[in-house]
C-alpha cells in the first residue's frame, strides 16, 4: 500500500508525494489585489507538497468575494 509520501502520477504529471493543498492565501494581497512578498513566502514554505491548487483570481473588482484577494 502506498503512503502519503510516496510518488504518484497525475496523468502526465509526476508528483513526488500525494499531498494536495488547497489555496489558503486569502486576505494577503496588497493594494489593488497585487500579490506581496507574504504570498511568495506562503507558497515557498509549502513547496514540498505534491501539488498546490492555486488561487482563484478575480478578473474585476466586482468579482471579488473577499478583501485583499490577489487579482488581475
Amino acid at each position: 500500500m502506498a503512503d502519503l509520501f510516496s510518488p504518484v502520477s497525475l496523468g502526465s504529471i509526476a508528483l513526488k508525494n500525494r499531498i494536495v493543498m488547497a489555496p489558503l492565501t486569502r486576505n494577503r494581497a496588497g493594494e489593488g489585489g497585487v500579490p506581496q512578498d507574504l504570498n511568495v513566502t506562503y507558497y515557498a514554505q509549502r513547496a514540498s507538497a505534491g501539488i498546490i491548487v492555486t488561487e482563484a483570481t478575480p478578473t474585476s473588482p466586482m468579482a471579488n468575494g473577499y478583501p485583499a484577494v490577489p487579482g488581475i
Side-chain angles (χ1 to χ4, degrees):
M1 176 194 280
D3 67 21
L4 187 61
F5 298 102
S6 64
V8 67
S9 291
L10 184 62
S12 62
I13 301 170
L15 304 176
K16 62 183 177 178
N17 60 53
R18 298 163 185 264
I19 299 170
V20 178
M21 278 193 58
L24 300 170
T25 61
R26 296 276 185 232
N27 308 89
R28 295 182 185 204
E31 187 75 27
V34 177
Q36 303 294 300
D37 289 341
L38 185 59
N39 300 86
V40 175
T41 300
Y42 176 88
Y43 284 113
Q45 290 171 338
R46 291 152 178 84
S48 63
I51 191 167
I52 300 174
V53 179
T54 60
E55 297 293 325
T57 303
T59 55
S60 100
M62 296 295 292
N64 198 345
Y66 300 92
V69 174
I72 296 175

Tab-separated table of all heavy atoms in Angstrom:
chain	number	residue	atom	x	y	z
A	1	MET	N	0.843	-1.167	0.000
A	1	MET	CA	0.000	0.000	0.000
A	1	MET	C	0.901	1.247	0.000
A	1	MET	O	1.852	1.343	0.754
A	1	MET	CB	-0.902	0.006	1.233
A	1	MET	CG	-1.728	1.268	1.294
A	1	MET	SD	-2.523	1.572	2.883
A	1	MET	CE	-3.910	0.517	2.771
A	2	ALA	N	0.572	2.215	-0.838
A	2	ALA	CA	1.326	3.469	-0.909
A	2	ALA	C	1.004	4.344	0.304
A	2	ALA	O	-0.106	4.314	0.824
A	2	ALA	CB	0.963	4.208	-2.179
A	3	ASP	N	2.004	5.109	0.739
A	3	ASP	CA	1.743	6.041	1.829
A	3	ASP	C	1.686	7.469	1.283
A	3	ASP	O	1.912	7.701	0.101
A	3	ASP	CB	2.773	5.908	2.950
A	3	ASP	CG	4.172	6.337	2.529
A	3	ASP	OD1	4.327	7.082	1.554
A	3	ASP	OD2	5.122	5.927	3.207
A	4	LEU	N	1.391	8.404	2.127
A	4	LEU	CA	1.212	9.805	1.758
A	4	LEU	C	2.454	10.411	1.111
A	4	LEU	O	2.353	11.298	0.274
A	4	LEU	CB	0.833	10.606	3.018
A	4	LEU	CG	0.444	12.059	2.846
A	4	LEU	CD1	-0.782	12.202	1.957
A	4	LEU	CD2	0.176	12.687	4.205
A	5	PHE	N	3.616	9.901	1.462
A	5	PHE	CA	4.866	10.481	0.977
A	5	PHE	C	5.461	9.724	-0.212
A	5	PHE	O	6.566	10.018	-0.640
A	5	PHE	CB	5.875	10.572	2.123
A	5	PHE	CG	5.379	11.469	3.218
A	5	PHE	CD1	4.854	10.925	4.379
A	5	PHE	CD2	5.396	12.843	3.079
A	5	PHE	CE1	4.364	11.748	5.389
A	5	PHE	CE2	4.909	13.666	4.080
A	5	PHE	CZ	4.393	13.122	5.236
A	6	SER	N	4.733	8.762	-0.764
A	6	SER	CA	5.247	8.037	-1.925
A	6	SER	C	4.856	8.764	-3.215
A	6	SER	O	3.831	9.439	-3.278
A	6	SER	CB	4.724	6.600	-1.934
A	6	SER	OG	3.330	6.583	-2.080
A	7	PRO	N	5.688	8.633	-4.250
A	7	PRO	CA	5.404	9.300	-5.531
A	7	PRO	C	4.124	8.778	-6.170
A	7	PRO	O	3.690	7.653	-5.913
A	7	PRO	CB	6.615	8.937	-6.395
A	7	PRO	CG	7.665	8.482	-5.454
A	7	PRO	CD	6.953	7.910	-4.276
A	8	VAL	N	3.545	9.604	-7.034
A	8	VAL	CA	2.340	9.230	-7.768
A	8	VAL	C	2.312	10.023	-9.075
A	8	VAL	O	2.901	11.101	-9.164
A	8	VAL	CB	1.066	9.495	-6.917
A	8	VAL	CG1	0.854	10.975	-6.679
A	8	VAL	CG2	-0.157	8.864	-7.552
A	9	SER	N	1.632	9.483	-10.072
A	9	SER	CA	1.441	10.211	-11.333
A	9	SER	C	0.009	10.683	-11.403
A	9	SER	O	-0.922	9.950	-11.076
A	9	SER	CB	1.741	9.312	-12.527
A	9	SER	OG	3.115	9.026	-12.592
A	10	LEU	N	-0.151	11.912	-11.840
A	10	LEU	CA	-1.469	12.501	-12.046
A	10	LEU	C	-1.549	12.811	-13.536
A	10	LEU	O	-1.095	13.855	-13.985
A	10	LEU	CB	-1.608	13.768	-11.199
A	10	LEU	CG	-2.942	14.478	-11.190
A	10	LEU	CD1	-4.021	13.570	-10.620
A	10	LEU	CD2	-2.853	15.755	-10.384
A	11	GLY	N	-2.039	11.852	-14.301
A	11	GLY	CA	-1.969	11.970	-15.755
A	11	GLY	C	-0.507	11.948	-16.164
A	11	GLY	O	0.237	11.043	-15.790
A	12	SER	N	-0.065	12.966	-16.886
A	12	SER	CA	1.330	13.025	-17.318
A	12	SER	C	2.223	13.772	-16.326
A	12	SER	O	3.405	13.955	-16.570
A	12	SER	CB	1.414	13.705	-18.685
A	12	SER	OG	0.948	15.034	-18.586
A	13	ILE	N	1.657	14.174	-15.193
A	13	ILE	CA	2.417	14.915	-14.185
A	13	ILE	C	2.905	13.959	-13.103
A	13	ILE	O	2.106	13.254	-12.484
A	13	ILE	CB	1.556	16.028	-13.548
A	13	ILE	CG1	1.066	16.993	-14.622
A	13	ILE	CG2	2.340	16.766	-12.472
A	13	ILE	CD1	0.027	17.976	-14.125
A	14	ALA	N	4.218	13.929	-12.895
A	14	ALA	CA	4.803	13.089	-11.847
A	14	ALA	C	4.936	13.922	-10.573
A	14	ALA	O	5.565	14.974	-10.571
A	14	ALA	CB	6.169	12.584	-12.282
A	15	LEU	N	4.290	13.472	-9.497
A	15	LEU	CA	4.349	14.167	-8.215
A	15	LEU	C	5.253	13.394	-7.261
A	15	LEU	O	5.225	12.166	-7.236
A	15	LEU	CB	2.951	14.289	-7.608
A	15	LEU	CG	1.902	14.963	-8.479
A	15	LEU	CD1	0.546	14.915	-7.794
A	15	LEU	CD2	2.302	16.382	-8.799
A	16	LYS	N	6.051	14.110	-6.465
A	16	LYS	CA	6.980	13.420	-5.561
A	16	LYS	C	6.286	12.880	-4.313
A	16	LYS	O	6.862	12.085	-3.585
A	16	LYS	CB	8.153	14.318	-5.191
A	16	LYS	CG	7.805	15.572	-4.455
A	16	LYS	CD	9.059	16.390	-4.215
A	16	LYS	CE	8.743	17.686	-3.535
A	16	LYS	NZ	9.950	18.450	-3.272
A	17	ASN	N	5.053	13.313	-4.053
A	17	ASN	CA	4.276	12.755	-2.946
A	17	ASN	C	2.792	12.939	-3.236
A	17	ASN	O	2.415	13.497	-4.262
A	17	ASN	CB	4.680	13.380	-1.601
A	17	ASN	CG	4.483	14.875	-1.566
A	17	ASN	OD1	3.403	15.377	-1.861
A	17	ASN	ND2	5.528	15.605	-1.212
A	18	ARG	N	1.940	12.485	-2.338
A	18	ARG	CA	0.489	12.504	-2.549
A	18	ARG	C	-0.211	13.620	-1.769
A	18	ARG	O	-1.419	13.579	-1.571
A	18	ARG	CB	-0.090	11.149	-2.151
A	18	ARG	CG	0.459	10.035	-3.014
A	18	ARG	CD	0.253	8.666	-2.413
A	18	ARG	NE	0.901	7.667	-3.229
A	18	ARG	CZ	0.277	6.956	-4.167
A	18	ARG	NH1	-1.011	7.106	-4.371
A	18	ARG	NH2	0.946	6.084	-4.885
A	19	ILE	N	0.557	14.595	-1.338
A	19	ILE	CA	-0.003	15.705	-0.567
A	19	ILE	C	-0.593	16.726	-1.531
A	19	ILE	O	0.091	17.218	-2.424
A	19	ILE	CB	1.066	16.359	0.325
A	19	ILE	CG1	1.618	15.334	1.314
A	19	ILE	CG2	0.497	17.585	1.042
A	19	ILE	CD1	2.820	15.797	2.081
A	20	VAL	N	-1.870	17.042	-1.365
A	20	VAL	CA	-2.546	18.042	-2.188
A	20	VAL	C	-3.034	19.142	-1.251
A	20	VAL	O	-3.694	18.876	-0.256
A	20	VAL	CB	-3.740	17.437	-2.947
A	20	VAL	CG1	-4.464	18.498	-3.752
A	20	VAL	CG2	-3.276	16.299	-3.844
A	21	MET	N	-2.651	20.371	-1.562
A	21	MET	CA	-3.042	21.516	-0.722
A	21	MET	C	-4.013	22.423	-1.441
A	21	MET	O	-3.841	22.703	-2.626
A	21	MET	CB	-1.802	22.354	-0.381
A	21	MET	CG	-1.014	21.832	0.762
A	21	MET	SD	0.175	23.061	1.303
A	21	MET	CE	-0.890	24.426	1.683
A	22	ALA	N	-4.976	22.898	-0.714
A	22	ALA	CA	-5.899	23.897	-1.243
A	22	ALA	C	-5.264	25.278	-1.137
A	22	ALA	O	-4.347	25.478	-0.343
A	22	ALA	CB	-7.195	23.871	-0.425
A	23	PRO	N	-5.741	26.257	-1.921
A	23	PRO	CA	-5.218	27.609	-1.804
A	23	PRO	C	-5.726	28.243	-0.509
A	23	PRO	O	-6.910	28.185	-0.213
A	23	PRO	CB	-5.788	28.326	-3.020
A	23	PRO	CG	-7.036	27.590	-3.332
A	23	PRO	CD	-6.772	26.159	-2.943
A	24	LEU	N	-4.824	28.805	0.277
A	24	LEU	CA	-5.232	29.374	1.558
A	24	LEU	C	-4.603	30.747	1.809
A	24	LEU	O	-4.326	31.103	2.945
A	24	LEU	CB	-4.836	28.413	2.693
A	24	LEU	CG	-5.456	27.036	2.634
A	24	LEU	CD1	-4.806	26.108	3.646
A	24	LEU	CD2	-6.942	27.102	2.866
A	25	THR	N	-4.358	31.509	0.761
A	25	THR	CA	-3.706	32.811	0.954
A	25	THR	C	-4.684	33.976	0.891
A	25	THR	O	-4.314	35.096	0.595
A	25	THR	CB	-2.586	33.043	-0.078
A	25	THR	OG1	-3.158	33.027	-1.387
A	25	THR	CG2	-1.507	31.996	0.031
A	26	ARG	N	-5.921	33.729	1.149
A	26	ARG	CA	-6.915	34.807	1.143
A	26	ARG	C	-6.497	35.954	2.060
A	26	ARG	O	-5.872	35.740	3.088
A	26	ARG	CB	-8.272	34.290	1.623
A	26	ARG	CG	-8.874	33.263	0.722
A	26	ARG	CD	-9.604	33.957	-0.411
A	26	ARG	NE	-10.300	32.988	-1.232
A	26	ARG	CZ	-10.169	32.927	-2.538
A	26	ARG	NH1	-9.388	33.755	-3.163
A	26	ARG	NH2	-10.836	32.044	-3.231
A	27	ASN	N	-6.883	37.137	1.701
A	27	ASN	CA	-6.662	38.336	2.516
A	27	ASN	C	-5.185	38.661	2.739
A	27	ASN	O	-4.838	39.240	3.757
A	27	ASN	CB	-7.373	38.216	3.867
A	27	ASN	CG	-8.825	37.860	3.717
A	27	ASN	OD1	-9.141	36.683	3.683
A	27	ASN	ND2	-9.691	38.832	3.586
A	28	ARG	N	-4.330	38.317	1.797
A	28	ARG	CA	-2.906	38.615	1.946
A	28	ARG	C	-2.362	39.493	0.831
A	28	ARG	O	-1.182	39.778	0.808
A	28	ARG	CB	-2.113	37.310	1.996
A	28	ARG	CG	-2.437	36.492	3.217
A	28	ARG	CD	-1.609	35.249	3.254
A	28	ARG	NE	-2.032	34.422	4.386
A	28	ARG	CZ	-1.279	33.534	4.962
A	28	ARG	NH1	-0.055	33.320	4.528
A	28	ARG	NH2	-1.730	32.825	5.964
A	29	ALA	N	-3.186	39.890	-0.114
A	29	ALA	CA	-2.713	40.744	-1.207
A	29	ALA	C	-2.608	42.192	-0.731
A	29	ALA	O	-3.228	42.591	0.253
A	29	ALA	CB	-3.646	40.660	-2.404
A	30	GLY	N	-1.835	42.955	-1.458
A	30	GLY	CA	-1.668	44.366	-1.132
A	30	GLY	C	-2.676	45.235	-1.861
A	30	GLY	O	-3.683	44.759	-2.397
A	31	GLU	N	-2.397	46.489	-1.894
A	31	GLU	CA	-3.240	47.489	-2.562
A	31	GLU	C	-3.543	47.064	-3.995
A	31	GLU	O	-2.668	46.661	-4.741
A	31	GLU	CB	-2.499	48.831	-2.569
A	31	GLU	CG	-3.311	49.984	-3.072
A	31	GLU	CD	-4.352	50.469	-2.075
A	31	GLU	OE1	-4.132	50.277	-0.864
A	31	GLU	OE2	-5.368	51.008	-2.514
A	32	GLY	N	-4.811	47.115	-4.356
A	32	GLY	CA	-5.222	46.792	-5.718
A	32	GLY	C	-5.163	45.309	-6.054
A	32	GLY	O	-5.179	44.938	-7.220
A	33	GLY	N	-5.078	44.429	-5.050
A	33	GLY	CA	-5.054	42.994	-5.301
A	33	GLY	C	-3.713	42.464	-5.780
A	33	GLY	O	-3.630	41.363	-6.305
A	34	VAL	N	-2.649	43.250	-5.597
A	34	VAL	CA	-1.316	42.838	-6.048
A	34	VAL	C	-0.701	41.877	-5.026
A	34	VAL	O	-0.625	42.203	-3.840
A	34	VAL	CB	-0.402	44.071	-6.239
A	34	VAL	CG1	1.002	43.651	-6.633
A	34	VAL	CG2	-0.999	45.016	-7.267
A	35	PRO	N	-0.266	40.677	-5.467
A	35	PRO	CA	0.393	39.756	-4.544
A	35	PRO	C	1.634	40.386	-3.928
A	35	PRO	O	2.330	41.170	-4.570
A	35	PRO	CB	0.764	38.568	-5.432
A	35	PRO	CG	-0.195	38.640	-6.575
A	35	PRO	CD	-0.415	40.102	-6.797
A	36	GLN	N	1.902	40.044	-2.687
A	36	GLN	CA	3.010	40.624	-1.933
A	36	GLN	C	4.051	39.554	-1.607
A	36	GLN	O	3.860	38.379	-1.885
A	36	GLN	CB	2.475	41.219	-0.620
A	36	GLN	CG	1.396	42.265	-0.802
A	36	GLN	CD	1.936	43.498	-1.496
A	36	GLN	OE1	2.837	44.140	-0.999
A	36	GLN	NE2	1.372	43.808	-2.644
A	37	ASP	N	5.133	39.971	-0.957
A	37	ASP	CA	6.154	39.025	-0.516
A	37	ASP	C	5.554	37.953	0.395
A	37	ASP	O	6.016	36.815	0.409
A	37	ASP	CB	7.282	39.749	0.218
A	37	ASP	CG	8.148	40.592	-0.706
A	37	ASP	OD1	8.121	40.342	-1.936
A	37	ASP	OD2	8.835	41.488	-0.206
A	38	LEU	N	4.525	38.297	1.153
A	38	LEU	CA	3.863	37.338	2.036
A	38	LEU	C	3.278	36.170	1.233
A	38	LEU	O	3.339	35.023	1.661
A	38	LEU	CB	2.770	38.030	2.851
A	38	LEU	CG	2.053	37.200	3.896
A	38	LEU	CD1	3.033	36.644	4.923
A	38	LEU	CD2	0.994	38.036	4.588
A	39	ASN	N	2.720	36.463	0.041
A	39	ASN	CA	2.192	35.397	-0.810
A	39	ASN	C	3.321	34.482	-1.289
A	39	ASN	O	3.176	33.266	-1.304
A	39	ASN	CB	1.467	35.983	-2.025
A	39	ASN	CG	0.308	36.856	-1.641
A	39	ASN	OD1	0.496	38.042	-1.398
A	39	ASN	ND2	-0.876	36.294	-1.577
A	40	VAL	N	4.434	35.075	-1.663
A	40	VAL	CA	5.592	34.300	-2.110
A	40	VAL	C	6.086	33.409	-0.975
A	40	VAL	O	6.325	32.209	-1.164
A	40	VAL	CB	6.725	35.229	-2.594
A	40	VAL	CG1	7.972	34.432	-2.932
A	40	VAL	CG2	6.271	36.052	-3.786
A	41	THR	N	6.213	33.964	0.217
A	41	THR	CA	6.672	33.210	1.383
A	41	THR	C	5.726	32.050	1.684
A	41	THR	O	6.159	30.927	1.941
A	41	THR	CB	6.788	34.125	2.617
A	41	THR	OG1	7.725	35.161	2.319
A	41	THR	CG2	7.227	33.358	3.848
A	42	TYR	N	4.427	32.310	1.627
A	42	TYR	CA	3.424	31.280	1.904
A	42	TYR	C	3.633	30.065	1.010
A	42	TYR	O	3.698	28.928	1.477
A	42	TYR	CB	2.018	31.852	1.689
A	42	TYR	CG	0.925	30.829	1.849
A	42	TYR	CD1	0.370	30.568	3.092
A	42	TYR	CD2	0.459	30.102	0.757
A	42	TYR	CE1	-0.627	29.618	3.244
A	42	TYR	CE2	-0.528	29.151	0.901
A	42	TYR	CZ	-1.067	28.920	2.136
A	42	TYR	OH	-2.048	27.968	2.291
A	43	TYR	N	3.729	30.288	-0.293
A	43	TYR	CA	3.882	29.164	-1.217
A	43	TYR	C	5.268	28.541	-1.145
A	43	TYR	O	5.413	27.332	-1.312
A	43	TYR	CB	3.517	29.580	-2.642
A	43	TYR	CG	2.020	29.671	-2.825
A	43	TYR	CD1	1.398	30.886	-3.052
A	43	TYR	CD2	1.233	28.538	-2.741
A	43	TYR	CE1	0.024	30.960	-3.200
A	43	TYR	CE2	-0.145	28.603	-2.888
A	43	TYR	CZ	-0.743	29.815	-3.122
A	43	TYR	OH	-2.099	29.886	-3.260
A	44	ALA	N	6.296	29.325	-0.907
A	44	ALA	CA	7.652	28.778	-0.773
A	44	ALA	C	7.729	27.819	0.415
A	44	ALA	O	8.377	26.764	0.340
A	44	ALA	CB	8.665	29.896	-0.615
A	45	GLN	N	7.057	28.152	1.513
A	45	GLN	CA	7.055	27.294	2.696
A	45	GLN	C	6.347	25.966	2.442
A	45	GLN	O	6.579	24.986	3.135
A	45	GLN	CB	6.372	27.997	3.863
A	45	GLN	CG	7.148	29.152	4.423
A	45	GLN	CD	6.330	29.961	5.433
A	45	GLN	OE1	5.096	29.936	5.433
A	45	GLN	NE2	7.030	30.682	6.280
A	46	ARG	N	5.486	25.928	1.456
A	46	ARG	CA	4.685	24.737	1.187
A	46	ARG	C	5.076	24.053	-0.118
A	46	ARG	O	4.382	23.171	-0.608
A	46	ARG	CB	3.207	25.137	1.151
A	46	ARG	CG	2.732	25.530	2.534
A	46	ARG	CD	1.590	26.535	2.490
A	46	ARG	NE	1.152	26.848	3.834
A	46	ARG	CZ	1.729	27.769	4.612
A	46	ARG	NH1	2.770	28.465	4.171
A	46	ARG	NH2	1.275	28.005	5.820
A	47	ALA	N	6.201	24.439	-0.686
A	47	ALA	CA	6.619	23.946	-1.998
A	47	ALA	C	6.879	22.448	-2.034
A	47	ALA	O	6.917	21.853	-3.104
A	47	ALA	CB	7.856	24.704	-2.465
A	48	SER	N	7.038	21.803	-0.896
A	48	SER	CA	7.294	20.367	-0.899
A	48	SER	C	6.012	19.538	-1.039
A	48	SER	O	6.081	18.322	-1.166
A	48	SER	CB	8.040	19.956	0.365
A	48	SER	OG	7.254	20.216	1.509
A	49	ALA	N	4.852	20.182	-1.039
A	49	ALA	CA	3.600	19.452	-1.274
A	49	ALA	C	3.629	18.877	-2.685
A	49	ALA	O	4.272	19.427	-3.585
A	49	ALA	CB	2.400	20.377	-1.108
A	50	GLY	N	2.945	17.777	-2.903
A	50	GLY	CA	2.906	17.163	-4.223
A	50	GLY	C	2.311	18.110	-5.254
A	50	GLY	O	2.822	18.261	-6.349
A	51	ILE	N	1.217	18.756	-4.886
A	51	ILE	CA	0.571	19.717	-5.781
A	51	ILE	C	-0.185	20.732	-4.925
A	51	ILE	O	-0.721	20.385	-3.874
A	51	ILE	CB	-0.376	19.011	-6.787
A	51	ILE	CG1	-0.837	19.974	-7.872
A	51	ILE	CG2	-1.538	18.363	-6.083
A	51	ILE	CD1	-1.490	19.282	-9.043
A	52	ILE	N	-0.169	21.967	-5.354
A	52	ILE	CA	-0.909	23.025	-4.669
A	52	ILE	C	-1.907	23.605	-5.662
A	52	ILE	O	-1.526	24.032	-6.744
A	52	ILE	CB	0.012	24.148	-4.160
A	52	ILE	CG1	1.037	23.602	-3.171
A	52	ILE	CG2	-0.806	25.276	-3.517
A	52	ILE	CD1	2.075	24.618	-2.736
A	53	VAL	N	-3.177	23.578	-5.304
A	53	VAL	CA	-4.207	24.196	-6.123
A	53	VAL	C	-4.091	25.696	-5.877
A	53	VAL	O	-4.182	26.146	-4.742
A	53	VAL	CB	-5.611	23.685	-5.731
A	53	VAL	CG1	-6.675	24.354	-6.572
A	53	VAL	CG2	-5.664	22.171	-5.861
A	54	THR	N	-3.865	26.468	-6.930
A	54	THR	CA	-3.602	27.892	-6.760
A	54	THR	C	-4.887	28.688	-6.594
A	54	THR	O	-5.990	28.167	-6.732
A	54	THR	CB	-2.797	28.458	-7.930
A	54	THR	OG1	-3.538	28.258	-9.137
A	54	THR	CG2	-1.454	27.792	-8.031
A	55	GLU	N	-4.714	29.956	-6.328
A	55	GLU	CA	-5.825	30.857	-6.048
A	55	GLU	C	-6.788	31.014	-7.215
A	55	GLU	O	-6.376	31.005	-8.369
A	55	GLU	CB	-5.275	32.260	-5.749
A	55	GLU	CG	-4.402	32.333	-4.542
A	55	GLU	CD	-5.156	32.079	-3.261
A	55	GLU	OE1	-6.325	32.468	-3.141
A	55	GLU	OE2	-4.568	31.467	-2.373
A	56	ALA	N	-8.026	31.215	-6.888
A	56	ALA	CA	-8.976	31.740	-7.860
A	56	ALA	C	-8.616	33.213	-8.015
A	56	ALA	O	-8.225	33.862	-7.046
A	56	ALA	CB	-10.388	31.584	-7.343
A	57	THR	N	-8.690	33.727	-9.196
A	57	THR	CA	-8.268	35.101	-9.439
A	57	THR	C	-9.415	35.919	-9.992
A	57	THR	O	-9.850	35.694	-11.123
A	57	THR	CB	-7.089	35.124	-10.433
A	57	THR	OG1	-6.047	34.319	-9.906
A	57	THR	CG2	-6.580	36.519	-10.647
A	58	PRO	N	-9.932	36.887	-9.215
A	58	PRO	CA	-10.991	37.739	-9.749
A	58	PRO	C	-10.453	38.567	-10.917
A	58	PRO	O	-9.342	39.070	-10.875
A	58	PRO	CB	-11.383	38.634	-8.580
A	58	PRO	CG	-10.467	38.335	-7.456
A	58	PRO	CD	-9.588	37.211	-7.844
A	59	THR	N	-11.245	38.669	-11.944
A	59	THR	CA	-10.832	39.421	-13.128
A	59	THR	C	-11.376	40.841	-13.135
A	59	THR	O	-11.096	41.603	-14.052
A	59	THR	CB	-11.288	38.700	-14.401
A	59	THR	OG1	-12.698	38.484	-14.329
A	59	THR	CG2	-10.587	37.361	-14.534
A	60	SER	N	-12.166	41.185	-12.129
A	60	SER	CA	-12.670	42.553	-11.989
A	60	SER	C	-12.978	42.798	-10.513
A	60	SER	O	-13.227	41.850	-9.761
A	60	SER	CB	-13.917	42.762	-12.842
A	60	SER	OG	-15.093	42.675	-12.093
A	61	PRO	N	-12.957	44.044	-10.071
A	61	PRO	CA	-13.293	44.341	-8.670
A	61	PRO	C	-14.687	43.844	-8.273
A	61	PRO	O	-14.923	43.473	-7.133
A	61	PRO	CB	-13.221	45.864	-8.602
A	61	PRO	CG	-12.291	46.247	-9.703
A	61	PRO	CD	-12.533	45.241	-10.787
A	62	MET	N	-15.608	43.789	-9.220
A	62	MET	CA	-16.969	43.313	-8.939
A	62	MET	C	-17.008	41.804	-8.682
A	62	MET	O	-17.953	41.302	-8.100
A	62	MET	CB	-17.900	43.668	-10.098
A	62	MET	CG	-18.076	45.157	-10.303
A	62	MET	SD	-18.894	45.961	-8.921
A	62	MET	CE	-20.512	45.276	-9.057
A	63	ALA	N	-15.986	41.082	-9.139
A	63	ALA	CA	-15.953	39.625	-8.998
A	63	ALA	C	-15.248	39.193	-7.710
A	63	ALA	O	-15.125	38.014	-7.448
A	63	ALA	CB	-15.253	39.009	-10.204
A	64	ASN	N	-14.809	40.136	-6.934
A	64	ASN	CA	-14.022	39.844	-5.736
A	64	ASN	C	-14.945	39.550	-4.557
A	64	ASN	O	-15.752	40.370	-4.166
A	64	ASN	CB	-13.122	41.046	-5.429
A	64	ASN	CG	-11.999	40.696	-4.522
A	64	ASN	OD1	-12.008	39.656	-3.890
A	64	ASN	ND2	-11.029	41.582	-4.454
A	65	GLY	N	-14.798	38.355	-3.973
A	65	GLY	CA	-15.664	37.961	-2.866
A	65	GLY	C	-15.089	38.252	-1.498
A	65	GLY	O	-15.796	38.174	-0.487
A	66	TYR	N	-13.789	38.556	-1.416
A	66	TYR	CA	-13.109	38.804	-0.140
A	66	TYR	C	-12.215	40.023	-0.287
A	66	TYR	O	-11.714	40.311	-1.367
A	66	TYR	CB	-12.207	37.623	0.237
A	66	TYR	CG	-12.923	36.304	0.388
A	66	TYR	CD1	-13.042	35.441	-0.687
A	66	TYR	CD2	-13.433	35.920	1.607
A	66	TYR	CE1	-13.676	34.229	-0.555
A	66	TYR	CE2	-14.065	34.711	1.750
A	66	TYR	CZ	-14.184	33.854	0.678
A	66	TYR	OH	-14.809	32.658	0.820
A	67	PRO	N	-11.935	40.709	0.811
A	67	PRO	CA	-10.964	41.818	0.742
A	67	PRO	C	-9.535	41.294	0.614
A	67	PRO	O	-9.227	40.179	1.076
A	67	PRO	CB	-11.156	42.538	2.076
A	67	PRO	CG	-11.708	41.507	3.003
A	67	PRO	CD	-12.527	40.575	2.130
A	68	ALA	N	-8.694	42.033	-0.037
A	68	ALA	CA	-7.255	41.753	-0.150
A	68	ALA	C	-6.938	40.418	-0.823
A	68	ALA	O	-6.004	39.725	-0.461
A	68	ALA	CB	-6.587	41.826	1.217
A	69	VAL	N	-7.756	40.041	-1.824
A	69	VAL	CA	-7.518	38.818	-2.591
A	69	VAL	C	-6.670	39.170	-3.798
A	69	VAL	O	-6.941	40.148	-4.483
A	69	VAL	CB	-8.854	38.193	-3.029
A	69	VAL	CG1	-8.643	37.006	-3.937
A	69	VAL	CG2	-9.672	37.786	-1.831
A	70	PRO	N	-5.623	38.359	-4.118
A	70	PRO	CA	-4.852	38.631	-5.320
A	70	PRO	C	-5.737	38.559	-6.553
A	70	PRO	O	-6.574	37.662	-6.662
A	70	PRO	CB	-3.814	37.504	-5.335
A	70	PRO	CG	-3.781	36.956	-3.965
A	70	PRO	CD	-5.121	37.204	-3.372
A	71	GLY	N	-5.590	39.473	-7.468
A	71	GLY	CA	-6.421	39.501	-8.660
A	71	GLY	C	-5.719	40.078	-9.863
A	71	GLY	O	-4.547	40.431	-9.819
A	72	ILE	N	-6.454	40.155	-10.953
A	72	ILE	CA	-5.913	40.710	-12.196
A	72	ILE	C	-6.394	42.146	-12.324
A	72	ILE	O	-7.559	42.427	-12.209
A	72	ILE	CB	-6.394	39.891	-13.422
A	72	ILE	CG1	-5.843	38.472	-13.327
A	72	ILE	CG2	-5.969	40.551	-14.721
A	72	ILE	CD1	-6.340	37.544	-14.397
